[in-house]
Amino acid sequence: MQIENFIGGNFIAPLNGDYLENHNPATGNVTSHIPNSTADDIAEAVQAAQDALPAWSALSLSERIEWLEKIAQALESRKDEIANIESMDTGKPINLARRVDAARSISNFEFFAKHAETLAELTYEMDDATNYVIRKPIGVVGLITPWNLPLYLLTWKIAPALVMGNTIVAKPSELTPLTANFLCEVLASIDFPKGVLNIVHGLGINAGQAILEHPQIKAISFTGGTSTGKIVAATAAPMFKKLSLELGGKNATIILDDANLSTAAKGAARAAFTNSGQVCLCGSRILVDAKIYDEFIPLLIDAVNTMKVGNPAQDDSDIGSVISPDHMKKVLSYIELAKQEGGRIISGGERMILPQPNSNGSFIAPTIIEGLGIDSRCATEEIFGPVATIHKFTGDEEAIRMANGTEYGLAGSVWTADLARGKSVAEKVESGILWVNTWLHRDLRTPFGGVKNSGVGREGGDWSLNFFSELTNICVKDD
Ligand code: NAD
C-alpha cells in the first residue's frame, strides 16, 4: 500500500517523489510506503489551509459543531477498521486499540462538539463599562503528534482546532501514519470542506521542522518527547507562535501502607504496562511503603503474570510489541544498564520471541526492577517501554520527595484506604495530573498537561478551546 499526503482535499504524492517504508512492529513486515515530505509539501498544505480559512471560519459555531458530529458518526460506522489499522501500525493489542484508540478518536469529536456548546460567555462589569470576550480563530494551526496513541492524540487536537474555526496542517508520526490517512479517507467520503484539514506525512526533521518554521502557521500544538519539545520551543517561540507542549513523563505510583494491596497491585501493573508502557502517563516508578513492601511484591508479580504478551491481532493478548526494533534496543539497553547500576530483575527482563507470524516482532516481557537508587538513570530517565523500577520509602514525606525527584512532572497515582491522606499526598506531588486509587480515569473536561520538563500549557475542555482561539476583550463604555 502506498499512501499520499492529503492537501486541499486531494490525495497527492510528495513533490520530491520520495517515500519511506512503514512497518508492522509485531511482525517486522513492511505494510506501506509513506511520503517523505519536505518544506515544499508543507508550503502547499499551508496554502490550501489559508485558502480554506475564510469560508471555514465564517461558518457559525453550530455549523462547525454539525461537522464534528458528522465526522464522529462516519468514524463510528468504521470503528473496527480504525482498531485494526491502529493495532497493525503500532503493534498494540486489538482489544486495546478498540477500547481505547478507536473509541477515544470518535469521542474526541463527540466531546468537543458538545463542549463547544457549553462555552461560557465571559463578561466583566465595571462601574461605567462592560467588558465582553469573544473567541476568534487563530488561523492556520500546526499539529504534530507521536506514535503511541496515533489517532487518539491527533483527533484530540483536530476536534477543538476545527470547532474554533481554524484550518489545519498536521503531521502524524512517521512510525504510525495509517489512521491519519484513514481519517482523510473518511473526510473525503463525507465531502468535508477541502483544505480545512491537511495531513502531510514524513520525518520530524523535514516535514515537522517545516511546520514549526512556516511563518503563516500561527500556533503549534505538539505532543512528543521532551528533547523534541525543546526544538519545537526554540524554533517557534522567537516567531511568537502560540505553543502547547505535551511532553514526556516518569510518573510515580505511590502505594501507602494502608492501601488495599490486591487492588493497588493490579492498578500498579496496569499503570506500568498498558500499551507496553508506552503511554506518557504510565507509572514507571512504583514507590511502596517499606512496611508493606514484602507483602506487595508477590501480588504485583501475580498481577503482571496475568497479562498475556501475544500476537496483537488476537483478542486475548494484553501486551503487544513495542513500536520498533530500534525502540526495543533502547528499552533493552536500559534493562542492561539497570543490572550494571545494581538492579535486580524480579519479573521479565528480556526480549520475547513469539511464534509465527510474530517471530520478528519487537516484544519485551513486562519487566520490574528492584534495588536501584531512586536517582539512578533507570529511575529518572523516560524509558517509555514495559519497564518499571520499584523502590521502598519510609513515611509519606519520603514518598513525596521520591516522586518529585525527576525533571518530569506529568502524572502519578496514590493508593490508600484514607482518601484525605491520599489527597494530601497527591496535592504535594509536582505533576499536572494525579489519581487517587485509580489510573488513567479521564474526564475530557479536565485540564491535561505537565509541569517541569513534561510540558507547557494545558489541553482538554475549555483549555483546548481557549488554546485554539484568540481571546479578544471588548470594553464598551456606558453612555
Ligand atoms: P518524538 O518527539 O520523537 O516525535 C513526536 C513527533 O514530533 C513526531 O511526529 C515526529 O516526527 C516529530 N518531530 C521529531 N523531530 C521534530 C522536529 N525537529 N521538528 C518538528 N517535529 C519533529 O516523540 P515520539 O517518540 O513519537 O513519542 C514518544 C514521546 O511522546 C514520549 O516522550 C512520550 O512521553 C511523549 N508523549 C507525551 C504525551 C503527553 O500528553 N504529554 C502523550 C503521548 C506521548
Side-chain angles (χ1 to χ4, degrees), residues 113-161:
K114 283 207 182 71
H115 194 74
E117 278 175 340
T118 70
L119 260 182
E121 290 214 351
L122 301 176
T123 55
Y124 303 91
E125 295 290 343
M126 300 167 76
D127 288 344
D128 58 351
T130 301
N131 295 277
Y132 67 97
V133 179
I134 56 170
R135 293 178 174 84
K136 295 182 186 168
I138 302 173
V140 179
V141 299
L143 313 179
I144 301 178
T145 47
W147 47 259
N148 62 329
L149 293 157
L151 193 61
Y152 169 134
L153 289 173
L154 186 61
T155 52
W156 178 237
K157 300 179 190 299
I158 288 176

Side-chain angles (χ1 to χ4, degrees), residues 130-299:
T130 301
N131 295 277
Y132 67 97
V133 179
I134 56 170
R135 293 178 174 84
K136 295 182 186 168
I138 302 173
V140 179
V141 299
L143 313 179
I144 301 178
T145 47
W147 47 259
N148 62 329
L149 293 157
L151 193 61
Y152 169 134
L153 289 173
L154 186 61
T155 52
W156 178 237
K157 300 179 190 299
I158 288 176
L162 288 183
V163 84
M164 297 318 285
N166 305 284
T167 57
I168 297 171
V169 175
K171 193 200 84 63
S173 169
E174 59 274 27
L175 298 176
T176 54
L178 296 184
T179 45
N181 180 61
F182 183 80
L183 174 67
C184 299
E185 289 173 4
V186 168
L187 293 184
S189 76
I190 59 170
D191 292 326
F192 187 68
K194 293 179 189 302
V196 174
L197 173 67
N198 303 278
I199 300 271
V200 181
H201 297 280
L203 300 173
I205 44 164
N206 299 327
Q209 188 73 29
I211 289 179
L212 305 180
E213 290 173 1
H214 199 293
Q216 294 310 322
I217 294 184
K218 302 295 183 195
I220 304 280
S221 175
F222 170 82
T223 300
T226 294
S227 55
T228 317
K230 284 184 190 161
I231 299 171
V232 175
T235 312
M239 299 171 81
F240 303 111
K241 296 188 183 208
K242 212 171 173 187
L243 265 184
S244 171
L245 298 173
E246 302 285 350
L247 309 177
K250 188 73 182 176
N251 312 300
T253 301
I254 304 173
I255 319 289
L256 302 184
D257 59 350
D258 63 350
N260 175 324
L261 294 192
S262 148
T263 309
K266 288 181 196 132
R270 183 173 156 257
F273 299 120
T274 294
N275 202 31
S276 294
Q278 302 170 126
V279 180
C280 53
L281 306 165
C282 273
S284 52
R285 295 180 298 149
I286 305 173
L287 313 181
V288 186
D289 193 300
K291 287 187 218 136
I292 46 140
Y293 187 86
D294 291 340
E295 198 185 335
F296 181 74
I297 293 288
L299 295 172

Side-chain angles (χ1 to χ4, degrees), residues 5 56 60 75 78 100 110 155 210 216 219 233 323 343 349 369 385 392 395 409 419 442 467-468:
N5 292 327
W56 180 253
S60 65
L75 291 174
R78 302 183 68 179
V100 176
E110 291 169 341
T155 52
Q216 294 310 322
I323 190 63
I369 306 167
K392 270 183 216 176
L419 294 188
R442 292 275 292 123
F467 177 76
F468 286 111

